[in-house]
Amino acid sequence: NELIKKESVFPLHIPASAIPQARPLISFFGSNGISEEIESSGGCASSELRRPIGSSSRIEEKKNSERTTDAASDASFVHRTAVEDVRKIAYLCATYKSKMLANRHEYEYKRQVRINKQHQQQLQLEPGSTLSQKSEPTPPKYHPEYTPLSAEGNKIMMSIHGANYNVCLARAACPEKTKKLVSCWKRLSAKESAALAEAGLGEYVCLEERKEVERCIGSGVQRAVKDILG
């Protein structure tokens, strides 16, 4: 499918279970009002939030300059990034979350329409049935690419953008470790990946590299929590 190829930010032969999970970040967004803030702003970041990640203060910039180049990329998130940088990451990747939710709404609407149709057919076949009429669901806002898709198409795109969201968060939070993970993905052929997935071993695709990314994300969130608690 051309739409899937166009919108995916990761190699499509990689199993869903091998995608890094940024749950600590996503949970932090929700529990600290960042998700609600993004929704109310329509995903538009202020000029301050559009500054590069890690540039929130002169003191932090000085700390960055004192670090070695090798450690800077990933250690920047683990040791330097605080709440403002986490907010920047949330805004940076908000578009993928929005696309995931748009497809979820389309899928749920079309699924409910199909259920209602089946229910109506059952009522017509059983005139004396005690089943009540179901109200029609409210259609989501029209989307030129997602609305024309079938319910199954929306379900696939929902999965793709859910994965895109996690990959985007990983890249923004831990760029060097995510770069190593992506390099590992690219070394794996589609045939090898499919064989692992069919054997129920998809989660073992580039496992060490993925775990490194997830540990890096978790460490960064811990740092942000400590900053909140003082």
Side-chain angles (χ1 to χ4, degrees), residues 30-85:
S31 60
N32 290 279
I34 297 174
S35 295
E36 185 177 343
E37 174 190 322
I38 291 174
E39 282 184 28
S40 63
S41 70
C44 298
S46 65
S47 58
E48 171 63 22
L49 285 173
R50 287 195 294 270
R51 293 174 65 193
I53 292 171
S55 61
S56 55
S57 76
R58 291 181 181 177
I59 293 174
E60 289 176 349
E61 286 172 4
K62 182 179 179 182
K63 287 180 181 178
N64 285 346
S65 66
E66 293 171 351
R67 294 197 177 92
T68 63
T69 303
D70 290 342
S73 293
D74 287 330
S76 62
F77 185 63
V78 176
H79 299 296
R80 170 186 46 71
T81 303
V83 178
E84 283 309 299
D85 279 355

Side-chain angles (χ1 to χ4, degrees), residues 173-224:
C174 303
E176 286 304 309
K177 285 183 169 55
T178 304
K179 186 177 179 180
K180 290 178 181 177
L181 173 61
V182 173
S183 294
C184 179
W185 285 347
K186 289 180 178 178
R187 290 195 300 270
L188 189 73
S189 72
K191 186 176 181 180
E192 291 169 326
S193 180
L196 286 168
E198 287 172 11
L201 301 173
E203 65 184 289
Y204 291 98
V205 171
C206 302
L207 178 62
E208 286 306 311
E209 290 83 355
R210 175 167 61 85
K211 289 297 182 184
E212 281 292 313
V213 171
E214 291 174 346
R215 280 192 288 268
C216 176
I217 291 171
S219 296
V221 172
Q222 287 176 7
R223 171 61 180 163

Side-chain angles (χ1 to χ4, degrees), residues 74-180:
D74 287 330
S76 62
F77 185 63
V78 176
H79 299 296
R80 170 186 46 71
T81 303
V83 178
E84 283 309 299
D85 279 355
V86 172
R87 288 174 71 233
K88 290 174 188 178
I89 290 169
Y91 274 93
L92 179 66
C93 300
T95 183
Y96 296 114
K97 180 180 179 182
S98 176
K99 289 180 177 182
M100 176 185 70
L101 293 176
N103 278 285
R104 177 186 292 174
H105 295 155
E106 287 285 350
Y107 170 70
E108 290 176 347
Y109 166 72
K110 290 166 186 173
R111 178 175 174 273
Q112 191 59 53
V113 167
R114 185 169 57 200
I115 291 172
N116 285 6
K117 185 177 180 180
Q118 292 171 345
H119 182 81
Q120 183 63 33
Q121 289 172 343
Q122 188 175 356
L123 285 176
Q124 292 172 352
L125 291 172
E126 302 175 23
S129 174
T130 57
L131 294 173
S132 59
Q133 289 277 2
K134 288 185 179 290
S135 59
E136 284 300 309
T138 304
K141 184 178 178 180
Y142 179 83
H143 190 287
E145 289 184 318
Y146 305 147
T147 300
L149 296 176
S150 66
E152 287 308 308
N154 290 130
K155 188 175 182 181
I156 291 170
M157 292 307 301
M158 179 174 67
S159 176
I160 292 292
H161 284 301
N164 283 347
Y165 186 44
N166 277 281
V167 172
C168 179
L169 293 173
R171 279 179 169 153
C174 303
E176 286 304 309
K177 285 183 169 55
T178 304
K179 186 177 179 180
K180 290 178 181 177

